[in-house]
Amino acid sequence: MTRARGADRRASIVRAAFEVIAERGYRGTSLAAVAERVGLTQQGLMHYFPTKEDLLTAVLETRDEWDLLHFGHARPGDPSAISVSQLADLVDYNATRPGIVQTYTVLSADSVTEDHPARKYFQDRYARVRAGMAQMLERHRDELPPGTTPEQLAPLAIATLDGLQLQWLLDPEEVDMSAGFRTFLALLGVKPD
Amino acid sequence: MTRARGADRRASIVRAAFEVIAERGYRGTSLAAVAERVGLTQQGLMHYFPTKEDLLTAVLETRDEWDLLHFGHARPGDPSAISVSQLADLVDYNATRPGIVQTYTVLSADSVTEDHPARKYFQDRYARVRAGMAQMLERHRDELPPGTTPEQLAPLAIATLDGLQLQWLLDPEEVDMSAGFRTFLALLGVKPD
């Protein structure tokens, strides 16, 4: 198989995984179910993605690329280009896709354990997202509370997003992610642009 | 076996689980390892805790009770009695025990999946902690930013704590939970009492 066809096949598998995650959630998503959806044997799929973690990490990477293209109108891999209001829109959008949010929450938390296959991916992603968030807040420096810096607030903004997702997944009637994040922005004194 | 002896045995198992978690983290903690530590067969331990999730949920419940006794000088199960500075001290203390924080992070995230054995436990715990946090913030109502309410800020405070734990576990050199939480308190205008 040529390299281009290999890349196409990987992309089809990731797309199928998105569908299965949306329908069945993190727990109901198995390599076997994704293989069936895309018309491969499980053995054939494992040629591209040897473990469930490998496949789900690829799903989350692809989501990041799409989100940045769609919400940030930005180059993939450059989270700093996203604006505050685009980020707030992204939170609204996440409220419509619990399957993928669930996958993110479970896999990122699982990755804190020793030797987890996705640990390096999440370490790098968080470092990158903290840097991007700090650059976004830098553009609002004059609005931030006196004595605070973008570098100080960036991990808090990300923590708020992650923590609200967890509470919302457990209790969607009780916890409103979108309203929560907008309250956090108000605490920073930042107005969506 | 009498009921009292059964309770003693459960308490010993939970204590042994704390030790194993502290030494080996979430992933290295198995029912077999805890059984060995406490001098039971795995079969014998499973009479008290049929699954790893059951045992770890009991560990987290016990941690909550100890923390409230130690930091809140409060009745177990009454998080509202804890003060802001006691809560900040608790964050400092958590930075000294990554194993248990890891266990909390992994298990709480895992519980968002359908039919997870700990889902109900975490739903109830978050509802209780949100109510307690709101009561704590209520005592600082005059300090809070205009237009915000304790009920609005409580889920954000908890999200900040959870999200900072995740980032700290992934990158302890880069992320300072204690400083982060104190910055969040400053955003609320709340001075530790």
Side-chain angles (χ1 to χ4, degrees):
Chain A
M1 196 182 309
T2 65
R3 189 181 292 186
R5 277 191 57 205
D8 284 355
R9 184 51 67 83
R10 284 178 67 92
S12 320
I13 296 170
V14 168
R15 242 186 332 264
F18 267 100
E19 291 174 18
V20 176
I21 288 167
E23 288 165 24
R24 308 191 197 172
Y26 174 84
R27 227 158 152 59
T29 299
S30 61
L31 292 184
V34 175
E36 200 192 324
R37 177 74 52 114
V38 80
L40 283 172
T41 62
Q42 183 169 339
Q43 213 49 39
L45 184 140
M46 287 169 72
H47 172 71
Y48 298 94
F49 299 102
T51 68
K52 182 171 171 177
E53 283 81 9
D54 291 322
L55 175 56
L56 295 181
T57 306
V59 165
L60 294 176
E61 275 178 333
T62 304
R63 179 186 75 148
D64 277 349
E65 286 168 21
W66 287 352
D67 285 354
L68 284 174
L69 280 170
H70 185 76
F71 287 95
H73 312 290
R75 297 194 309 286
D78 182 13
S80 68
I82 204 168
S83 76
V84 171
S85 61
Q86 283 165 340
L87 184 57
D89 289 347
L90 181 52
V91 177
D92 296 346
Y93 181 49
N94 278 338
T96 69
R97 50 176 182 177
I100 195 83
V101 175
Q102 201 182 61
T103 299
Y104 183 86
T105 295
V106 176
L107 200 62
S108 62
D110 213 38
S111 81
V112 307
T113 55
E114 292 77 11
D115 306 321
H116 190 281
R119 185 173 169 100
K120 178 83 175 62
Y121 166 71
F122 281 105
Q123 273 178 338
D124 292 349
R125 183 182 188 279
Y126 274 98
R128 205 166 58 237
V129 173
R130 275 193 298 269
M133 191 73 83
Q135 285 178 266
M136 186 192 84
L137 292 173
E138 183 63 45
R139 298 195 296 273
H140 293 266
R141 189 150 204 150
D142 298 346
E143 303 159 37
L144 301 179
T148 64
T149 65
E151 288 69 28
Q152 231 180 355
L153 298 171
L156 291 186
I158 298 159
T160 303
L161 290 168
D162 287 346
L164 284 174
Q165 286 184 350
L166 176 67
Q167 291 180 60
W168 169 73
L169 287 166
L170 282 171
D171 213 337
E173 305 293 311
E174 217 29 65
V175 176
D176 182 336
M177 289 200 289
S178 301
F181 187 61
R182 287 179 161 80
T183 301
F184 179 77
L185 290 177
L187 290 178
L188 298 191
V190 166
K191 285 152 222 60
D193 36 14
Chain B
M1 198 182 307
T2 64
R3 188 180 294 185
R5 277 192 55 205
D8 285 354
R9 183 52 67 85
R10 284 177 65 93
S12 320
I13 295 169
V14 167
R15 242 186 332 265
F18 266 101
E19 291 174 16
V20 176
I21 288 168
E23 288 164 23
R24 309 191 196 172
Y26 174 84
R27 226 158 153 59
T29 298
S30 61
L31 292 183
V34 175
E36 201 193 324
R37 178 74 52 113
V38 79
L40 283 173
T41 62
Q42 183 169 341
Q43 214 48 41
L45 184 141
M46 289 170 72
H47 172 72
Y48 298 94
F49 299 101
T51 68
K52 181 171 171 177
E53 285 81 8
D54 291 323
L55 175 56
L56 295 181
T57 306
V59 165
L60 294 176
E61 275 178 334
T62 304
R63 178 185 76 149
D64 278 349
E65 286 169 21
W66 287 352
D67 285 353
L68 284 174
L69 281 169
H70 185 76
F71 288 95
H73 312 289
R75 296 194 309 287
D78 183 11
S80 69
I82 204 167
S83 75
V84 171
S85 61
Q86 284 165 340
L87 184 57
D89 289 347
L90 181 52
V91 177
D92 297 345
Y93 182 49
N94 278 338
T96 69
R97 50 178 182 175
I100 194 84
V101 175
Q102 200 183 61
T103 299
Y104 183 86
T105 296
V106 176
L107 200 62
S108 62
D110 212 39
S111 81
V112 306
T113 56
E114 292 77 10
D115 306 323
H116 191 282
R119 185 175 169 98
K120 178 83 174 63
Y121 167 70
F122 280 105
Q123 273 177 337
D124 293 349
R125 184 184 187 277
Y126 274 98
R128 206 166 59 238
V129 173
R130 275 194 297 269
M133 190 73 84
Q135 284 179 267
M136 187 193 85
L137 292 172
E138 183 63 47
R139 299 194 296 272
H140 294 266
R141 191 152 203 148
D142 298 345
E143 303 158 37
L144 300 179
T148 65
T149 65
E151 289 68 28
Q152 233 180 351
L153 298 171
L156 291 186
I158 298 159
T160 303
L161 290 168
D162 287 346
L164 284 174
Q165 286 183 351
L166 175 67
Q167 291 180 62
W168 169 74
L169 287 166
L170 283 172
D171 213 338
E173 305 293 310
E174 218 26 67
V175 176
D176 182 336
M177 289 200 290
S178 301
F181 188 61
R182 287 180 162 80
T183 302
F184 179 77
L185 290 177
L187 291 177
L188 298 191
V190 166
K191 284 153 223 57
D193 37 14

